[in-house]
mmCIF file of all heavy atoms in Angstrom:
data_model
loop_
_atom_site.group_PDB
_atom_site.id
_atom_site.type_symbol
_atom_site.label_atom_id
_atom_site.label_comp_id
_atom_site.label_asym_id
_atom_site.label_seq_id
_atom_site.Cartn_x
_atom_site.Cartn_y
_atom_site.Cartn_z
ATOM 1 N N ASP A 189 70.535 43.814 -3.297
ATOM 2 C CA ASP A 189 69.499 43.684 -4.329
ATOM 3 C C ASP A 189 68.157 44.168 -3.791
ATOM 4 O O ASP A 189 67.403 44.858 -4.485
ATOM 5 C CB ASP A 189 69.365 42.229 -4.794
ATOM 6 C CG ASP A 189 70.556 41.749 -5.598
ATOM 7 O OD1 ASP A 189 71.136 42.553 -6.339
ATOM 8 O OD2 ASP A 189 70.897 40.550 -5.483
ATOM 9 N N LEU A 190 67.838 43.785 -2.547
ATOM 10 C CA LEU A 190 66.563 44.185 -1.952
ATOM 11 C C LEU A 190 66.485 45.705 -1.792
ATOM 12 O O LEU A 190 65.453 46.316 -2.086
ATOM 13 C CB LEU A 190 66.376 43.514 -0.592
ATOM 14 C CG LEU A 190 66.189 41.998 -0.583
ATOM 15 C CD1 LEU A 190 65.978 41.505 0.840
ATOM 16 C CD2 LEU A 190 65.019 41.584 -1.463
ATOM 17 N N VAL A 191 67.579 46.296 -1.331
ATOM 18 C CA VAL A 191 67.610 47.759 -1.186
ATOM 19 C C VAL A 191 67.373 48.423 -2.540
ATOM 20 O O VAL A 191 66.601 49.380 -2.659
ATOM 21 C CB VAL A 191 68.953 48.219 -0.592
ATOM 22 C CG1 VAL A 191 69.088 49.738 -0.670
ATOM 23 C CG2 VAL A 191 69.075 47.759 0.857
ATOM 24 N N ALA A 192 68.019 47.894 -3.585
ATOM 25 C CA ALA A 192 67.855 48.459 -4.923
ATOM 26 C C ALA A 192 66.418 48.313 -5.421
ATOM 27 O O ALA A 192 65.852 49.242 -5.999
ATOM 28 C CB ALA A 192 68.819 47.780 -5.897
ATOM 29 N N LEU A 193 65.815 47.153 -5.183
ATOM 30 C CA LEU A 193 64.438 46.923 -5.625
ATOM 31 C C LEU A 193 63.457 47.882 -4.958
ATOM 32 O O LEU A 193 62.617 48.496 -5.615
ATOM 33 C CB LEU A 193 64.019 45.479 -5.314
ATOM 34 C CG LEU A 193 64.550 44.371 -6.226
ATOM 35 C CD1 LEU A 193 64.098 43.017 -5.705
ATOM 36 C CD2 LEU A 193 64.063 44.567 -7.647
ATOM 37 N N VAL A 194 63.577 48.014 -3.635
ATOM 38 C CA VAL A 194 62.646 48.863 -2.900
ATOM 39 C C VAL A 194 62.868 50.330 -3.238
ATOM 40 O O VAL A 194 61.921 51.093 -3.421
ATOM 41 C CB VAL A 194 62.777 48.629 -1.378
ATOM 42 C CG1 VAL A 194 61.870 49.591 -0.615
ATOM 43 C CG2 VAL A 194 62.404 47.198 -1.040
ATOM 44 N N THR A 195 64.125 50.729 -3.355
ATOM 45 C CA THR A 195 64.426 52.119 -3.708
ATOM 46 C C THR A 195 63.868 52.449 -5.080
ATOM 47 O O THR A 195 63.272 53.506 -5.294
ATOM 48 C CB THR A 195 65.945 52.363 -3.689
ATOM 49 O OG1 THR A 195 66.455 52.065 -2.394
ATOM 50 C CG2 THR A 195 66.256 53.815 -4.018
ATOM 51 N N ALA A 196 64.066 51.537 -6.038
ATOM 52 C CA ALA A 196 63.551 51.762 -7.392
ATOM 53 C C ALA A 196 62.039 51.874 -7.385
ATOM 54 O O ALA A 196 61.449 52.700 -8.078
ATOM 55 C CB ALA A 196 63.995 50.627 -8.315
ATOM 56 N N GLN A 197 61.383 51.043 -6.584
ATOM 57 C CA GLN A 197 59.925 51.065 -6.523
ATOM 58 C C GLN A 197 59.428 52.392 -5.955
ATOM 59 O O GLN A 197 58.455 52.961 -6.429
ATOM 60 C CB GLN A 197 59.423 49.912 -5.657
ATOM 61 C CG GLN A 197 57.895 49.863 -5.514
ATOM 62 C CD GLN A 197 57.451 48.616 -4.771
ATOM 63 O OE1 GLN A 197 57.840 47.508 -5.115
ATOM 64 N NE2 GLN A 197 56.651 48.799 -3.740
ATOM 65 N N LYS A 198 60.123 52.903 -4.920
ATOM 66 C CA LYS A 198 59.696 54.141 -4.295
ATOM 67 C C LYS A 198 59.940 55.341 -5.199
ATOM 68 O O LYS A 198 59.160 56.286 -5.225
ATOM 69 C CB LYS A 198 60.431 54.338 -2.958
ATOM 70 C CG LYS A 198 59.881 53.458 -1.846
ATOM 71 C CD LYS A 198 60.607 53.725 -0.554
ATOM 72 C CE LYS A 198 59.920 53.020 0.603
ATOM 73 N NZ LYS A 198 58.638 53.623 0.927
ATOM 74 N N VAL A 199 61.036 55.306 -5.967
ATOM 75 C CA VAL A 199 61.380 56.431 -6.831
ATOM 76 C C VAL A 199 60.557 56.414 -8.107
ATOM 77 O O VAL A 199 60.078 57.433 -8.587
ATOM 78 C CB VAL A 199 62.884 56.415 -7.161
ATOM 79 C CG1 VAL A 199 63.219 57.462 -8.206
ATOM 80 C CG2 VAL A 199 63.701 56.658 -5.902
ATOM 81 N N ASN A 200 60.381 55.234 -8.691
ATOM 82 C CA ASN A 200 59.727 55.126 -9.992
ATOM 83 C C ASN A 200 58.261 54.718 -9.833
ATOM 84 O O ASN A 200 57.907 53.552 -9.963
ATOM 85 C CB ASN A 200 60.454 54.087 -10.863
ATOM 86 C CG ASN A 200 61.927 54.410 -11.030
ATOM 87 O OD1 ASN A 200 62.336 55.543 -10.892
ATOM 88 N ND2 ASN A 200 62.721 53.395 -11.327
ATOM 89 N N GLU A 201 57.431 55.691 -9.520
ATOM 90 C CA GLU A 201 55.999 55.398 -9.442
ATOM 91 C C GLU A 201 55.469 55.077 -10.838
ATOM 92 O O GLU A 201 56.013 55.514 -11.840
ATOM 93 C CB GLU A 201 55.255 56.613 -8.875
ATOM 94 C CG GLU A 201 55.674 57.004 -7.466
ATOM 95 C CD GLU A 201 55.288 55.977 -6.430
ATOM 96 O OE1 GLU A 201 54.347 55.212 -6.698
ATOM 97 O OE2 GLU A 201 55.927 55.941 -5.368
ATOM 98 N N LYS A 202 54.391 54.331 -10.891
ATOM 99 C CA LYS A 202 53.802 53.957 -12.175
ATOM 100 C C LYS A 202 53.432 55.210 -12.942
ATOM 101 O O LYS A 202 52.765 56.099 -12.432
ATOM 102 C CB LYS A 202 52.571 53.078 -11.959
ATOM 103 C CG LYS A 202 52.020 52.457 -13.242
ATOM 104 C CD LYS A 202 50.897 51.508 -12.908
ATOM 105 C CE LYS A 202 50.324 50.857 -14.156
ATOM 106 N NZ LYS A 202 51.286 49.995 -14.822
ATOM 107 N N GLY A 203 53.889 55.309 -14.211
ATOM 108 C CA GLY A 203 53.703 56.528 -14.979
ATOM 109 C C GLY A 203 52.900 56.311 -16.243
ATOM 110 O O GLY A 203 52.085 55.402 -16.363
ATOM 111 N N THR A 204 53.175 57.167 -17.226
ATOM 112 C CA THR A 204 52.433 57.146 -18.484
ATOM 113 C C THR A 204 52.726 55.893 -19.292
ATOM 114 O O THR A 204 51.837 55.340 -19.949
ATOM 115 C CB THR A 204 52.804 58.391 -19.311
ATOM 116 O OG1 THR A 204 52.604 59.558 -18.503
ATOM 117 C CG2 THR A 204 51.951 58.501 -20.563
ATOM 118 N N PHE A 205 53.968 55.428 -19.250
ATOM 119 C CA PHE A 205 54.395 54.296 -20.080
ATOM 120 C C PHE A 205 54.820 53.110 -19.216
ATOM 121 O O PHE A 205 55.501 53.282 -18.207
ATOM 122 C CB PHE A 205 55.563 54.705 -20.979
ATOM 123 C CG PHE A 205 55.319 55.984 -21.741
ATOM 124 C CD1 PHE A 205 55.976 57.152 -21.393
ATOM 125 C CD2 PHE A 205 54.420 56.015 -22.798
ATOM 126 C CE1 PHE A 205 55.741 58.337 -22.085
ATOM 127 C CE2 PHE A 205 54.185 57.194 -23.493
ATOM 128 C CZ PHE A 205 54.845 58.354 -23.136
ATOM 129 N N THR A 206 54.443 51.901 -19.650
ATOM 130 C CA THR A 206 54.846 50.675 -18.966
ATOM 131 C C THR A 206 55.401 49.702 -19.995
ATOM 132 O O THR A 206 54.748 49.437 -21.019
ATOM 133 C CB THR A 206 53.656 50.020 -18.242
ATOM 134 O OG1 THR A 206 53.073 50.961 -17.337
ATOM 135 C CG2 THR A 206 54.102 48.784 -17.478
ATOM 136 N N LEU A 207 56.591 49.184 -19.723
ATOM 137 C CA LEU A 207 57.202 48.222 -20.644
ATOM 138 C C LEU A 207 56.444 46.905 -20.595
ATOM 139 O O LEU A 207 56.241 46.321 -19.539
ATOM 140 C CB LEU A 207 58.672 47.987 -20.267
ATOM 141 C CG LEU A 207 59.418 46.945 -21.095
ATOM 142 C CD1 LEU A 207 59.537 47.375 -22.550
ATOM 143 C CD2 LEU A 207 60.799 46.669 -20.489
ATOM 144 N N GLU A 208 56.010 46.432 -21.771
ATOM 145 C CA GLU A 208 55.341 45.128 -21.864
ATOM 146 C C GLU A 208 56.299 44.053 -22.357
ATOM 147 O O GLU A 208 56.358 42.963 -21.794
ATOM 148 C CB GLU A 208 54.121 45.231 -22.794
ATOM 149 C CG GLU A 208 52.965 46.012 -22.203
ATOM 150 C CD GLU A 208 51.681 45.806 -22.986
ATOM 151 O OE1 GLU A 208 51.719 45.157 -24.064
ATOM 152 O OE2 GLU A 208 50.626 46.305 -22.536
ATOM 153 N N SER A 209 57.030 44.349 -23.437
ATOM 154 C CA SER A 209 57.978 43.360 -23.960
ATOM 155 C C SER A 209 58.961 44.040 -24.901
ATOM 156 O O SER A 209 58.731 45.164 -25.347
ATOM 157 C CB SER A 209 57.245 42.238 -24.708
ATOM 158 O OG SER A 209 56.598 42.761 -25.864
ATOM 159 N N PHE A 210 60.035 43.344 -25.189
ATOM 160 C CA PHE A 210 61.005 43.866 -26.155
ATOM 161 C C PHE A 210 61.726 42.709 -26.832
ATOM 162 O O PHE A 210 61.892 41.625 -26.255
ATOM 163 C CB PHE A 210 62.016 44.809 -25.485
ATOM 164 C CG PHE A 210 62.993 44.116 -24.574
ATOM 165 C CD1 PHE A 210 64.233 43.667 -25.035
ATOM 166 C CD2 PHE A 210 62.684 43.914 -23.229
ATOM 167 C CE1 PHE A 210 65.126 43.033 -24.191
ATOM 168 C CE2 PHE A 210 63.577 43.274 -22.380
ATOM 169 C CZ PHE A 210 64.800 42.832 -22.859
ATOM 170 N N VAL A 211 62.161 42.957 -28.068
ATOM 171 C CA VAL A 211 63.010 42.022 -28.799
ATOM 172 C C VAL A 211 64.110 42.851 -29.444
ATOM 173 O O VAL A 211 63.837 43.820 -30.161
ATOM 174 C CB VAL A 211 62.238 41.258 -29.890
ATOM 175 C CG1 VAL A 211 63.199 40.371 -30.686
ATOM 176 C CG2 VAL A 211 61.132 40.412 -29.285
ATOM 177 N N VAL A 212 65.346 42.483 -29.177
ATOM 178 C CA VAL A 212 66.483 43.208 -29.734
ATOM 179 C C VAL A 212 67.392 42.214 -30.439
ATOM 180 O O VAL A 212 67.739 41.164 -29.877
ATOM 181 C CB VAL A 212 67.277 43.952 -28.633
ATOM 182 C CG1 VAL A 212 68.514 44.611 -29.218
ATOM 183 C CG2 VAL A 212 66.401 45.009 -27.967
ATOM 184 N N ASN A 213 67.758 42.514 -31.689
ATOM 185 C CA ASN A 213 68.683 41.680 -32.455
ATOM 186 C C ASN A 213 69.927 42.482 -32.790
ATOM 187 O O ASN A 213 69.846 43.649 -33.191
ATOM 188 C CB ASN A 213 68.033 41.208 -33.755
ATOM 189 C CG ASN A 213 66.873 40.258 -33.494
ATOM 190 O OD1 ASN A 213 67.025 39.268 -32.792
ATOM 191 N ND2 ASN A 213 65.708 40.570 -34.046
ATOM 192 N N SER A 214 71.090 41.824 -32.649
ATOM 193 C CA SER A 214 72.349 42.505 -32.939
ATOM 194 C C SER A 214 73.404 41.483 -33.318
ATOM 195 O O SER A 214 73.327 40.306 -32.908
ATOM 196 C CB SER A 214 72.806 43.299 -31.707
ATOM 197 O OG SER A 214 73.982 44.000 -31.971
ATOM 198 N N GLY A 215 74.355 41.894 -34.107
ATOM 199 C CA GLY A 215 75.429 40.980 -34.519
ATOM 200 C C GLY A 215 76.588 41.754 -35.103
ATOM 201 O O GLY A 215 76.527 42.982 -35.260
ATOM 202 N N THR A 216 77.646 41.003 -35.472
ATOM 203 C CA THR A 216 78.852 41.675 -35.957
ATOM 204 C C THR A 216 78.690 42.267 -37.348
ATOM 205 O O THR A 216 79.300 43.279 -37.669
ATOM 206 C CB THR A 216 80.039 40.690 -35.957
ATOM 207 O OG1 THR A 216 79.669 39.525 -36.715
ATOM 208 C CG2 THR A 216 80.420 40.300 -34.545
#
């Protein structure tokens, strides 16, 4: 998990868009 976190941080520098929140609804 730590390797994945650090790798993701190094690859994904802060860009144009930043996720603030989301709501997703789904059903049958």
Side-chain angles (χ1 to χ4, degrees):
D189 290 325
L190 293 182
V191 170
L193 283 176
V194 176
T195 301
Q197 179 174 309
K198 284 182 171 290
V199 172
N200 304 337
E201 299 293 337
K202 189 175 180 65
T204 306
F205 310 107
T206 304
L207 177 64
E208 288 194 353
S209 65
F210 71 92
V211 176
V212 176
N213 294 307
S214 182
T216 54

